[in-house]
Amino acid sequence: MFHLRCIACGEVYDRREVIYQCPRCSGLLEVVFDLSEISVTKAEIESRAFNLWRYRELMPVEDYTRVVSLNEGGTPLYRADTIAEEIGVKELYIKNEGANPTGSFKDRGMTVGVTKALELGATAVGCASTGNTSASLAAYAAKAGIKCLVLLPAGKIAIGKLAQALLHGAIVVGIKANFDVALKLVREICAKHNIYLLNSINPWRLEGQKSEAFEIADQLGFEAPDRVVVPVGNCGNISAIWKGFKEFHELGLIDELPVMTGIQAEGASPLVRAFKAGESSVTPEPKPETIATAIRIGAPVNAPKALLALKESRGIAESVTDEEIIEAQKLLARKLGVGVEPASAASVAGLKKLVEAGEIDRSERIVCVTTGHALKDPEIIFHRYEKPIEIEPSIEALEKVING
Ligand code: AN7
């Protein structure tokens, strides 16, 4: 079975308690499985459909036949030889999370999170979001038939994500402030009005996201890569992926653990600064800024978990500029045929920077996670890339174009 435990003071709590932080010390909570009770084999896993529920023994739900699912997970792991050559590493893979039902890795969290919401008797769910969380929660709440409230930093949401939240019928509220302020506000309203909170402070949600690690290992033939590179905002995903690798390792499903590498945008990089200064907590950035709006976060709530993941895996953290992000987005789009939103490209941008700086061994086997689909943010493409060419409808005019 499984229960909740505080990562700071170690206090344990029953899985049926509706809590998001340790009631005693306010520390972050994590879900702990009794792994000695779990005996799933590689063959059993391989006999199942390739989606998140392939790893059902490690998913903390009461009855997996009754989960709220849109068939999330099962995303492609592309071998990216052309990009590997460009960056100068031996073996590179792209784990394309944009291939999830609503176009981001958040769906992995929401299938578990919304299932838990129902199990705990919730009739409404809520979140603050830089976009993808709201798009995903809106869709899963619709599937579950419950109400959904999303708070967004007004004017700072990529248009595709905003459209999704509206499309799926959530109550969409723009807050005239940044994400960090919206998160504070939603936590208050959720507590006051019995709305189940599904930001990544919610430990159940991260359980779904740890399946990224299971899949990467599975797709590499039950082996961990040397390194996993992850874009970082609120610090939930990198923590979840690390937890997934640790559980597979403890169960004997993989022999090695990867090194975790977190990448933030330069204008929103509190984790990177804390990591480089060797600090055990982050100092919030009051005015986070980057074109990668998904990771425009100054006060990451899961920073203690991410710092632990970096420490335990002997990992590193680095920041990249908006220009480097666009360059990496172009590389993925034009050398691999994979369209990702800017935040996602941060992983590849960070890898390139770290390889050039000599901080990553070129002989490693590396997986970069790309977290969200390019269509989430079409505006950035219109602003940063070539414009379409308009001509009169004649062969002569067309020939002029193709002849450059
Ligand atoms: C594409 O949707 O925080 O470090 O509210 O959308 O776990 O926060 C999004 C985060 C990376 C960072 N890539 O993950 C939200 C939100 C994409 C994202 C991240 C996000 P975390």
Side-chain angles (χ1 to χ4, degrees):
M1 257 305 147
F2 49 86
H3 59 268
L4 295 168
R5 183 174 67 197
C6 173
I7 70 160
C9 75
E11 186 70 30
V12 299
Y13 300 96
D14 189 271
R15 66 182 194 277
R16 283 155 298 217
E17 285 202 49
V18 181
I19 47 175
Y20 310 103
Q21 272 175 292
C22 179
R24 205 170 75 172
C25 79
S26 302
L28 295 170
L29 298 172
E30 67 174 353
V31 177
V32 180
F33 276 85
D34 186 349
L35 292 176
S36 66
E37 286 175 354
I38 295 172
S39 62
V40 64
T41 64
K42 292 175 195 175
E44 259 172 284
I45 291 173
E46 282 171 333
S47 72
R48 298 172 183 160
F50 187 50
N51 62 45
L52 179 146
W53 295 100
R54 184 168 157 107
Y55 316 100
R56 64 190 66 137
E57 286 84 356
L58 289 159
M59 290 298 150
V61 297
E62 305 295 335
D63 177 0
Y64 106 90
T65 64
R66 298 184 54 202
V67 297
V68 181
S69 174
L70 292 166
N71 201 5
E72 49 292 318
T75 59
L77 183 75
Y78 296 120
R79 185 159 172 145
D81 287 340
T82 47
I83 298 179
E85 200 177 309
E86 178 100 10
I87 293 178
V89 292
K90 195 173 120 217
E91 204 176 332
L92 176 65
Y93 298 84
I94 301 299
K95 180 65 172 165
N96 187 27
E97 287 296 290
N100 274 296
T102 77
S104 84
F105 69 97
K106 306 283 182 182
D107 295 342
R108 295 180 186 272
M110 291 310 173
T111 184
V112 174
V114 173
T115 297
K116 290 313 281 187
L118 293 187
E119 285 178 6
L120 294 166
T123 54
V125 288
C127 71
S129 178
T130 59
N132 281 321
T133 296
S134 67
S136 183
L137 184 58
Y140 281 82
K143 180 83 198 272
I146 55 177
K147 277 189 218 151
C148 177
L149 169 70
V150 306
L151 269 55
L152 310 171
K156 293 290 184 180
I157 295 295
I159 198 131
K161 306 172 188 181
L162 180 59
Q164 286 178 292
L166 293 168
L167 172 68
H168 293 296
I171 301 170
V172 178
V173 185
I175 305 292
K176 294 175 185 167
N178 65 28
F179 167 82
D180 304 298
V181 177
L183 182 57
K184 268 198 201 131
L185 208 54
V186 84
R187 288 174 75 164
E188 223 177 294
I189 198 86
C190 281
K192 204 168 166 194
H193 290 270
N194 217 5
I195 300 168
Y196 192 67
L197 178 67
L198 273 165
N199 277 100
S200 59
I201 186 109
N202 183 311
W204 304 113
R205 213 193 92 183
L206 294 182
E207 290 299 291
Q209 290 174 213
K210 77 186 178 187
S211 63
E212 286 167 75
F214 300 162
E215 274 182 22
I216 289 168
D218 191 343
Q219 286 168 305
L220 293 174
F222 288 92
E223 269 184 39
D226 296 315
R227 182 181 301 272
V228 179
V229 189
V230 189
V232 171
N234 221 1
C235 294
N237 206 35
I238 190 170
S239 314
I241 294 173
W242 175 239
K243 185 171 191 282
F245 279 113
K246 283 198 296 186
E247 288 179 357
F248 251 33
H249 187 250
E250 263 185 67
L251 287 170
L253 292 165
I254 52 174
D255 296 329
E256 310 283 341
L257 286 165
V259 172
M260 300 304 295
T261 300
I263 310 296
Q264 294 195 297
E266 208 170 78
S269 53
L271 179 79
V272 176
R273 283 189 286 109
F275 171 79
K276 289 191 175 179
E279 279 157 9
S280 57
S281 66
V282 304
T283 308
E285 253 168 43
K287 289 202 168 83
E289 206 45 82
T290 167
I291 52 155
T293 52
I295 51 174
R296 188 172 169 273
I297 294 173
V301 292
N302 284 301
K305 285 187 177 178
L307 285 168
L308 259 178
L310 292 175
K311 191 173 163 192
E312 289 175 359
S313 74
R314 295 165 204 269
I316 46 177
E318 186 54 274
S319 62
V320 290
T321 64
D322 285 354
E323 295 313 316
E324 289 167 328
I325 285 173
I326 294 295
E327 199 189 313
Q329 182 188 40
K330 192 180 269 186
L331 204 59
L332 283 158
R334 299 186 178 182
K335 294 261 179 191
L336 192 64
V338 172
V340 307
E341 66 166 288
S344 308
S347 58
V348 173
L351 173 66
K352 184 165 186 276
K353 183 171 175 182
L354 288 165
V355 169
E356 281 167 5
E359 298 217 32
I360 291 179
D361 193 323
R362 291 176 187 272
S363 68
E364 285 185 9
R365 184 190 225 193
I366 299 164
V367 173
C368 284
V369 179
T370 56
T371 39
H373 199 284
L375 291 176
K376 293 282 190 174
D377 192 356
E379 277 174 327
I380 205 85
I381 301 165
F382 296 129
H383 287 136
R384 295 284 185 138
Y385 289 77
E386 300 85 351
K387 302 281 179 278
I389 301 158
E390 277 185 25
I391 58 165
E392 293 304 321
S394 78
I395 285 292
E396 293 75 27
L398 200 48
E399 281 173 337
K400 245 190 183 159
V401 173
I402 64 172
N403 291 331

